[in-house]
Amino acid sequence: MFVDVARITVKAGRGGDGAVSFRREKYVAAGGPDGGDGGRGGDVIFVADPNLSTLMDFRYQRKYAAQSGENGKSSNSYGKSGEDLVIRVPRGTLVKDAETGGLIADISGEEPVIVARGGRGGLGNRHFATPTRQIPRFAKPGLPGEEFTLQLELKLIADVGLIGFPNVGKSTLISRISAAKPKIANYHFTTLSPVLGVVRVGDEASFVAADIPGLIEGAAEGVGLGHDFLRHVERCRLLLHVVDVSGCEGRDPEEDFEKINAELARFSPALAQRPQIVLGNKCDIAEPEQVDAFRAFVEQKGLVFLPVSAATGKGLETLPGLVFSRLRELPPVAVFTPDYVKPAARGARDFTARKEEDGSFYVDAPWLERILEGSDVEDYESLQYFQTQLADFGVLDKLTELGVKEGDTVRIGEYEFDYLF
C-alpha cells in the first residue's frame, strides 16, 4: 500500500534540572555552592532519506520523543545533554502543524531540519550565591521541550509528471523510457501508487519522471484517487500529457485532454500553467486522420505534440532528448516556503491573578512555578529569593489590589501556601 499522509506527535527533550549542592572537602570550611547546570533536552530533527518512498512506517508508530537532558551534578558538573531524535522521511515530505495547517518545513534538501527544539537546562545553585545569600538551597528546573502534533504529506520530487486518464499507456511509457517496472494490465487503475523512474539521456544527463495514477473527472474534488495523487504533480516542472489518440475505448481524445486540464486547474491554478508536452499514444492503431486532427488541436493551443506508441516504442527515441532540452529552460523543482507562525509566547514574566469564589487567590504564572519547583520553601533564603521575584514583577502588588490578607490561601499552579508576606 502507498501511504503519503500521516499524523504523528513529536516532543523534544526536557532540559535537566540544576543541582543544589555544596562543596564538602576535608580542611575546606564553608566550601560554598557547587551545583552544576542541567543538560539541554534533545531536538527532534527531520532528514530526507532517498531510500524511503512512502510514509508507511508512520502508520505504526505515532509518537516520537527525544531524550531529556540529565540533571546537574555536584562539583560544578554539568548534566549531559539529551540525544537528538532523528526522524527519516522520504524526500519531498511536507511537515505541517496539524492544528493550523501551517507549513513548518519542506524536507527536500540534504540539510537536516530541526522541527522541535529541546528545553534549556536549569541553572545550578552556584549561580545564585551573593554576598548576602551565601547558602542558596534552590536551583532552577529545566524547561520543557517543544511539542507538536504534525501532519506529514509526501509530494514526490520529480522533474516530469505523466498525467492522463486511466489506461492510456502511462505505465507502459515509463517502463519504456526508464528502468521503472510498474505493474501493467489492460484495466482501469492498474497503477495505485506513483512510480518514479530515472530517464537517462547521456553519461551526465538524466531526469526523474513520475507516473501519476490515472485521473478522472472530479478528481480535484476527491473523486476516484483524487487528492491522494494530484498533490504529487505539484512539484513537477514539466507535464507529459498522455492521451489515447486512437479512441479505442470509445473516448474522444480532445475531450479527455480538456477534462484533465480542467481538473488540474480546479486543484491548483498554478499547476494548470505548468508547461506540457502532449503525447498522442497508441498511434500505431490509430488512423492517420485521427493523429492529424489531434495534432492540429494541440498545436493550435501552442503546445508541442508528439505521436508515440508505448507498446511498440514508435516515436520514443526522441522523447528523452526533447524533454531534457525543455527542462534545461525551466526553473528548478519547487520547494515550498514554510509559513507556520508559532503562537505568540507569553512574556517572560507575564502573569494573571484572580480571587476565587472560596476566598482563595490564584496566580497563573508558569515562570513562578518553575522557580518554586527548584526552591526549598522551608529554607529562609530560598523563600526570600522567591518573595523577591514576587515583588520585583508586581505579583505582590496585584494580590494586594485584589484584597489579600495575611493567612489567606494563595495557589500558584499546583503549589498552595498561606499568605505571609
Side-chain angles (χ1 to χ4, degrees):
M1 179 185 291
F2 181 77
V3 178
D4 61 355
V5 177
R7 188 184 178 99
I8 64 172
T9 300
V10 298
K11 184 177 182 180
R14 181 187 178 91
D17 297 336
V20 177
S21 173
F22 298 91
R23 185 180 177 192
R24 292 290 182 266
E25 294 182 30
K26 194 175 182 181
Y27 307 120
V28 178
D34 67 351
D37 300 344
R40 182 180 179 82
D43 298 330
V44 177
I45 301 173
F46 280 69
V47 296
D49 188 337
N51 297 314
L52 296 177
S53 57
T54 77
L55 299 173
M56 175 69 78
D57 292 345
F58 299 100
R59 294 191 65 193
Y60 306 105
Q61 183 177 349
R62 299 293 181 92
K63 295 183 178 180
Y64 296 81
Q67 189 179 50
S68 295
E70 287 186 350
N71 295 336
K73 303 174 184 178
S74 59
S75 303
N76 297 318
S77 297
Y78 284 72
K80 183 180 178 182
S81 294
E83 290 187 10
D84 296 334
L85 174 65
V86 178
I87 299 178
R88 301 185 179 278
V89 295
R91 191 179 305 279
T93 299
L94 301 185
V95 180
K96 296 183 177 182
D97 178 69
E99 306 302 324
T100 66
L103 178 61
I104 297 175
D106 181 352
I107 314 299
S108 297
E110 303 294 332
E111 293 297 318
V113 178
I114 299 175
V115 171
R117 295 188 177 275
R120 188 187 65 213
L123 300 177
N125 69 332
R126 64 191 176 89
H127 291 279
F128 302 100
T130 67
T132 57
R133 188 198 301 132
Q134 298 182 8
I135 312 175
R137 300 184 185 278
F138 58 91
K140 285 195 173 182
L143 299 181
E146 293 181 327
E147 184 174 1
F148 296 100
T149 299
L150 302 175
Q151 178 88 356
L152 305 183
E153 294 183 8
L154 176 58
K155 292 180 185 284
L156 294 178
I157 294 182
D159 299 291
V160 177
L162 276 66
I163 61 172
F165 270 91
N167 211 27
V168 294
K170 299 189 305 298
S171 296
T172 304
L173 181 63
I174 200 170
S175 70
R176 281 278 190 173
I177 63 176
S178 75
K181 301 298 180 188
K183 180 182 177 182
I184 300 171
N186 188 27
Y187 54 86
H188 293 312
F189 293 115
T190 304
T191 306
L192 295 179
S193 62
V195 177
L196 292 178
V198 178
V199 182
R200 303 200 177 278
V201 182
D203 292 338
E204 299 291 331
S206 63
F207 60 87
V208 178
D211 170 17
I212 309 299
L215 305 179
I216 62 174
E217 195 170 4
E221 283 73 45
V223 177
L225 298 177
H227 290 152
D228 288 345
F229 298 117
L230 268 171
R231 65 167 58 90
H232 296 301
V233 191
E234 287 192 88
R235 288 193 195 266
C236 298
R237 298 191 284 157
L238 178 66
L239 302 178
L240 293 185
H241 194 153
V242 184
V243 179
D244 177 1
V245 74
S246 71
C248 62
E249 293 192 352
R251 306 185 62 88
D252 180 86
E254 294 183 11
E255 258 185 47
D256 285 358
F257 177 86
E258 296 288 9
K259 285 179 180 177
I260 291 295
N261 280 315
E263 292 306 319
L264 294 178
R266 275 194 283 273
F267 180 73
S268 167
L271 191 57
Q273 302 301 317
R274 209 63 51 86
Q276 291 188 20
I277 294 177
V278 182
L279 304 181
N281 193 30
K282 303 184 183 180
C283 68
D284 56 317
I285 59 174
E287 298 294 333
E289 294 79 10
Q290 291 176 297
V291 176
D292 292 340
F294 190 63
R295 179 196 298 274
F297 169 78
V298 171
E299 292 181 346
Q300 187 179 15
K301 296 179 177 294
L303 300 175
V304 175
F305 174 76
L306 188 65
V308 299
S309 171
T312 66
K314 179 181 178 182
L316 297 183
E317 62 279 355
T318 62
L319 180 60
L322 173 64
V323 171
F324 186 74
S325 298
R326 190 68 184 276
L327 287 173
R328 293 178 66 179
E329 303 170 357
L330 300 175
V333 174
V335 175
F336 297 92
T337 304
D339 57 8
Y340 174 72
V341 178
K342 290 183 180 179
R346 293 178 59 178
R349 294 293 185 266
D350 284 354
F351 71 92
T352 59
R354 66 177 182 269
K355 186 173 182 178
E356 305 284 24
E357 292 183 0
D358 60 3
S360 64
F361 295 81
Y362 181 77
V363 178
D364 180 15
W367 57 275
L368 271 178
E369 294 179 49
R370 292 196 293 269
I371 293 174
L372 276 169
E373 284 179 14
S375 300
D376 179 3
V377 293
E378 301 298 324
D379 175 72
Y380 173 74
E381 288 189 342
S382 294
L383 189 58
Q384 190 178 49
Y385 175 76
F386 177 60
Q387 289 174 316
T388 301
Q389 299 294 301
L390 291 178
D392 288 348
F393 296 101
V395 180
L396 291 185
D397 291 341
K398 184 63 177 177
L399 289 172
T400 301
E401 181 185 320
L402 291 172
V404 71
K405 302 184 300 295
E406 185 170 345
D408 286 344
T409 299
V410 176
R411 289 185 296 114
I412 299 176
E414 298 178 356
Y415 298 88
E416 182 177 305
F417 47 86
D418 292 335
Y419 186 78
L420 299 172
F421 307 108

